Amino acid sequence: MTKKADLLLTNAIVLTMDENLKSYEPGAVAIKGDSILQVGTEADLRQEISASEELDCGGKVLMPGLVNAHTHVPMTLLRGLADDLRLDVWLLGYMMPVEREFVSKDFVRLGTQIACVELIRTGVTSFADMYYFEEEVARATAEAGMRAVCSQTVMKFPAPDADFYEESLAAAREYIQRWHGHPLIVPSVAPHAPYTCTAEILQATAALAAEFDVPLHTHLSETAIEVENSRNEHGMPVIPYVKKQNLFDAKVLAAHCVHVDDGEIFTLQHHKAGVAHNPSSNLKLASGFAPVMKMLEVGLNVGIGTDGPASNNDLDMFEEVRLAAFLGKVTTNDPTALPAQTALSMATRLGAKALHIGDLTGTLESGKRADLILVDISRLHNTPRFRRDHNGLYAQLVYAAKSSDVTDVMVNGKWLMRGQELTTLDESELSANAQEYARRIDTFLIAREKSVLSKLVAIGGATESETFEVQAKARIADPAPILEAVERSEVEILHHRHYREYDVYFSFSDPEQGYLRYREDESLDEKGEVSKVRYRLTMLGPAREYQFPSDVLLSRSRYIAPATHSLRFYREYFNPNQETVVEKDRLRWRVLYHGTEFYINLDNVKVPDLGYFLEVKSRTWSRRDAEYKANLATDLLRFLGVSPQENIAEDYVELIEKPG
Ligand SMILES: [Zn+2]
């Protein structure tokens, strides 16, 4: 009895990419509706199938479409925006500020359409995405006819589509409800990463994904710094930490997993998590080498992803597959490791399983959706073809073929590309619209990069606030008389502290930009032990606003905030043209002097070795108030036994202005 099919693809080298890597030559694939009816030799299928349409594949390779296991498709619009930077500077300094400003539904739709063109052209039929306004990604993807796991981002920072995480979590729930059961789209939730989420967010997103039995997509253990911070903050590396937050209650798709140990790999395997290996992204951001061979050995489903096109900078899976094979070899010092057929399995069958859609796609087997591609291996760069070793064909596809050899793409039984002509997308307008976004983003960044302050505001999420201080400084030889004077009754001590301060001043070629001070404060207790450490970032205005007689300065501090990033981050982000290090031991008193609040700082400046300085200062809000306090400051200095000295304040400012 013959079975009825809608389409019979014949005269093909059929690579099923199933578990046994079955192949047929000449092979055929019968398609009925959205699914594969049967796969086999052409002779067998001709006997068993009657198809309403037959297509001669001209001896091309017919294989499952590739699965891009991790990407952020709308970021096609940010491709080439900022490169050759460290992950935190790139992400927190450039991507997120620009995203907060520009990412909208329109942006996401256009970016997704551009990505779909690129993905279809390079033989991808399914992908796992993570971005904002993910419902727009899902809509544009479904319109393009592609299959995807589309994950709505949730994180602790304000996002382009939500001011608070509760908003994005609620949006994720509604989106999952609306798209659940869609033939092409698997809706999903994406807590961005453990370091951009709170424990509460990790728990809530895991519960949401488990409730609807949809995948949870996240970034785990991407960099060594991330793991180090996790150890410091949580006392454990990343995988046990997220396990503790019940993340593995959900079907997890974890991107990267570069810095995971054997125990963590076992945990991932035990919870059937999928892993997305991103060779280009890990190489470009120098994140390190994921232990892919170990993961495969324990049976983890490891797929291959391009990551976002802003960190790659393309969506070419042929390139990723090749790099995955190369990395597998070089990291194990073993050229037999990660052979071509394994690399190609990762980009098809294992990738689909990593996305938790292995029942739908990833292989050519009857019952699975008809997601397939034709690859022309007859072009000159692909010739000749040896037939002695069957695996030679996989090697040919992985090491010699190019993504441009893909000629035809079908998803869910529908052609998206025929003879390299796209059927669902019109490319003509896309690049002009993308260029318009680039122009606007360029303008935004050029304005921002002009000012240290606006760069600071961009990453701090804080608004500008200005404070003025009256400061009187003096160099002193002996601190003992000061210590005695402070105890006298004219001065009422409100508070006393002992610090060790490490300051790094960044200065810039344009002096109008002022200075940026990164301060590490170590609070010392009575025994001289460190009781608290505080990191602060202060933006100081150009050296002085106004100078009163007797070297009293009115200085301006325009912004002060906890320093939440490392000194290294700020150095790379602000790119100062000079750095000055000052280390000092500080005794600080907050006092009332004639009814006015002052800080008295007795500093022993150790680096550079300048000895003792005495500083009295008070906050001020108006010029009149400043004049009054300037006189009082001089007075207080005298009371403490220090006569105003010529140009001491000047010296101190000079130290920062013209160090060395
Ligand atoms: Zn990513």
Side-chain angles (χ1 to χ4, degrees):
M1 207 182 96
T2 58
K3 290 185 256 181
K4 284 204 182 312
D6 296 322
L7 176 65
L8 186 64
L9 301 171
T10 59
N11 188 23
I13 306 167
V14 176
L15 301 181
T16 64
M17 298 313 296
D18 69 6
E19 212 140 345
N20 304 312
L21 294 176
K22 233 181 285 146
S23 63
Y24 305 95
E25 183 178 1
V29 173
I31 292 156
K32 189 176 170 122
D34 58 10
S35 299
I36 295 168
L37 182 66
Q38 202 168 325
V39 184
T41 63
E42 193 177 314
D44 286 350
L45 262 66
R46 278 195 190 286
Q47 266 191 352
E48 295 164 30
I49 306 281
S50 88
S52 35
E53 190 193 340
E54 189 180 316
L55 183 84
D56 185 322
C57 296
K60 290 175 187 170
V61 167
L62 170 52
M63 61 177 284
L66 303 178
V67 178
N68 185 341
H70 175 67
T71 183
H72 312 278
V73 288
M75 293 180 90
T76 46
L77 288 176
L78 302 177
R79 190 190 337 248
L81 172 69
D83 293 285
D84 307 325
L85 298 170
R86 217 177 294 272
L87 178 66
D88 56 0
V89 177
W90 178 83
L91 183 67
L92 304 170
Y94 287 87
M95 289 302 139
M96 287 185 168
V98 168
E99 286 174 333
R100 275 194 287 272
E101 192 72 19
F102 288 95
V103 172
S104 61
K105 287 186 179 181
D106 176 70
F107 177 103
V108 163
R109 181 177 172 78
L110 177 63
T112 303
Q113 288 173 324
I114 290 170
C116 285
V117 169
E118 199 175 341
L119 290 164
I120 294 168
R121 286 206 171 282
T122 54
V124 173
T125 52
S126 306
F127 61 90
D129 190 67
M130 175 199 296
Y131 210 59
Y132 315 104
F133 298 109
E134 194 66 29
E135 190 160 5
E136 291 305 311
V137 176
R139 195 168 287 129
T141 301
E143 282 172 21
M146 294 192 74
R147 189 180 306 287
V149 172
C150 293
S151 315
Q152 168 64 38
T153 299
V154 183
M155 61 178 182
K156 66 184 176 188
F157 303 121
D161 56 357
D163 290 332
F164 307 100
Y165 96 85
E166 290 90 344
E167 265 178 70
S168 39
L169 191 68
R173 168 177 288 274
E174 286 170 21
Y175 154 64
I176 290 170
Q177 277 171 330
R178 275 195 288 272
W179 288 74
H180 206 255
H182 189 278
L184 291 171
I185 304 299
V186 176
S188 145
V189 65
H192 175 270
Y195 61 92
T196 50
C197 290
T198 59
E200 190 188 353
I201 295 175
L202 297 175
Q203 292 159 14
T205 48
L208 177 65
E211 182 185 338
F212 290 94
D213 191 32
V214 295
L216 178 149
H217 188 178
T218 188
H219 295 106
L220 296 180
S221 300
E222 182 172 0
T223 62
I225 296 172
E226 179 190 345
V227 177
E228 192 187 315
N229 290 345
S230 179
R231 284 184 190 280
N232 291 339
E233 278 172 44
H234 312 300
M236 59 187 96
V238 176
I239 306 299
Y241 170 69
V242 297
K243 179 178 152 64
K244 204 173 148 206
Q245 312 311 327
N246 304 326
L247 205 75
F248 296 113
D249 285 1
K251 301 189 288 193
V252 170
L253 166 59
H256 302 303
C257 298
V258 174
H259 299 275
V260 288
D261 61 27
D262 291 359
E264 291 179 283
I265 291 173
F266 179 75
T267 303
L268 290 166
Q269 193 273 334
H270 179 74
H271 293 285
K272 298 188 170 57
V275 171
H277 172 44
N278 301 274
S280 285
S281 172
N282 294 164
L283 286 166
K284 185 160 179 270
L285 292 163
S287 304
F289 305 107
V292 170
M293 289 312 294
K294 281 187 180 169
M295 294 182 190
L296 292 171
E297 273 161 28
V298 303
L300 254 176
N301 294 321
V302 187
I304 299 174
T306 57
D307 209 348
S311 62
N312 183 306
N313 295 359
D314 61 34
L315 294 167
D316 189 336
M317 278 292 289
F318 274 73
E319 182 180 273
E320 298 303 324
V321 173
R322 187 172 309 144
L323 284 175
F326 290 167
L327 282 177
K329 299 171 195 312
V330 77
T331 54
T332 53
N333 205 15
D334 176 4
T336 70
L338 229 160
Q341 58 271 31
T342 306
L344 210 54
S345 296
M346 290 168 72
T348 52
R349 181 174 61 88
L350 292 175
K353 289 175 93 172
L355 268 60
H356 305 278
I357 56 171
D359 56 327
L360 295 176
T361 192
T363 61
L364 299 184
E365 291 175 282
S366 67
K368 287 213 177 165
R369 300 296 173 270
D371 296 354
L372 50 87
I373 60 175
L374 289 177
V375 186
D376 185 357
I377 54 163
S378 70
R379 294 173 183 170
L380 196 72
H381 62 261
N382 246 326
T383 51
R385 180 175 167 215
F386 294 96
R387 290 166 190 269
R388 179 184 53 84
D389 175 4
H390 179 70
N391 286 335
L393 192 55
Y394 298 103
Q396 196 170 352
L397 285 165
V398 172
Y399 302 131
K402 298 179 191 307
S403 54
S404 52
D405 296 334
V406 176
T407 57
D408 299 78
V409 174
M410 174 184 278
V411 176
N412 217 40
K414 193 171 163 225
W415 290 113
L416 306 187
M417 184 163 80
R418 288 289 287 124
Q420 298 194 317
E421 293 288 326
L422 298 177
T423 64
T424 56
L425 286 153
D426 178 8
E427 286 166 79
S428 58
E429 274 188 7
L430 297 178
S431 69
N433 292 342
Q435 198 48 53
E436 177 53 23
Y437 267 108
R439 190 193 60 75
R440 286 170 51 202
I441 294 171
D442 265 343
T443 309
F444 166 77
L445 277 181
I446 288 165
R448 188 193 82 166
E449 301 285 298
K450 268 190 196 144
S451 143
V452 172
L453 180 63
S454 59
K455 284 190 82 168
L456 189 58
V457 170
I459 51 165
T463 49
E464 180 174 359
S465 70
E466 250 177 341
T467 60
F468 291 88
E469 273 179 349
V470 163
Q471 301 177 348
K473 283 190 176 77
R475 194 193 289 264
I476 55 168
D478 178 13
I482 311 279
L483 292 168
E484 272 170 42
V486 172
E487 299 294 331
R488 267 183 262 143
S489 63
E490 281 89 336
V491 177
E492 185 189 338
I493 298 172
L494 301 174
H495 195 66
H496 173 56
R497 270 185 184 283
H498 184 191
Y499 294 102
R500 242 189 331 249
E501 290 184 350
Y502 301 91
D503 293 340
V504 179
Y505 289 84
F506 290 165
S507 52
F508 304 90
S509 50
D510 171 12
E512 285 305 303
Q513 296 293 335
Y515 307 90
L516 208 56
R517 184 183 65 202
Y518 179 90
R519 166 168 290 179
E520 186 182 328
D521 262 344
E522 289 181 353
S523 259
L524 303 176
D525 63 18
E526 277 139 40
K527 288 183 222 140
E529 312 252 319
V530 178
S531 62
K532 201 170 103 191
V533 185
R534 194 169 59 160
Y535 303 90
R536 282 190 303 168
L537 197 65
T538 306
M539 165 111 205
L540 304 156
R544 77 221 74 161
E545 285 294 300
Y546 183 76
Q547 189 152 0
F548 296 99
S550 306
D551 289 318
V552 178
L553 286 181
L554 177 61
S555 87
R556 186 165 63 143
S557 139
R558 299 177 75 185
Y559 178 96
I560 184 159
T564 49
H565 305 301
S566 64
L567 177 62
R568 193 266 311 146
F569 171 90
Y570 294 117
R571 177 181 293 131
E572 291 179 13
Y573 177 63
F574 287 104
N575 204 12
N577 75 335
Q578 196 148 247
E579 281 185 40
T580 313
V581 175
V582 179
E583 281 184 33
K584 58 192 170 211
D585 188 272
R586 165 170 285 184
L587 290 172
R588 153 174 279 213
W589 294 268
R590 183 158 62 88
V591 302
L592 278 181
Y593 181 68
H594 292 302
T596 296
E597 191 175 277
F598 274 95
Y599 283 100
I600 300 175
N601 293 327
L602 179 58
D603 293 342
N604 181 1
V605 181
K606 294 177 166 172
V607 176
D609 187 9
L610 296 176
Y612 289 94
F613 281 86
L614 181 65
E615 176 186 61
V616 301
K617 56 190 199 176
S618 185
R619 272 222 191 180
T620 185
W621 290 272
S622 70
R623 176 56 56 89
R624 257 183 78 152
D625 182 56
E627 272 170 29
Y628 168 72
K629 283 180 178 163
N631 287 327
L632 210 54
T634 317
D635 219 40
L636 176 55
L637 216 53
R638 280 210 187 86
F639 170 77
L640 293 170
V642 180
S643 51
Q645 292 163 301
E646 197 91 6
N647 288 332
I648 290 303
E650 197 80 18
D651 280 359
Y652 202 84
V653 170
E654 289 265 311
L655 166 71
I656 308 308
E657 262 179 35
K658 303 187 189 86

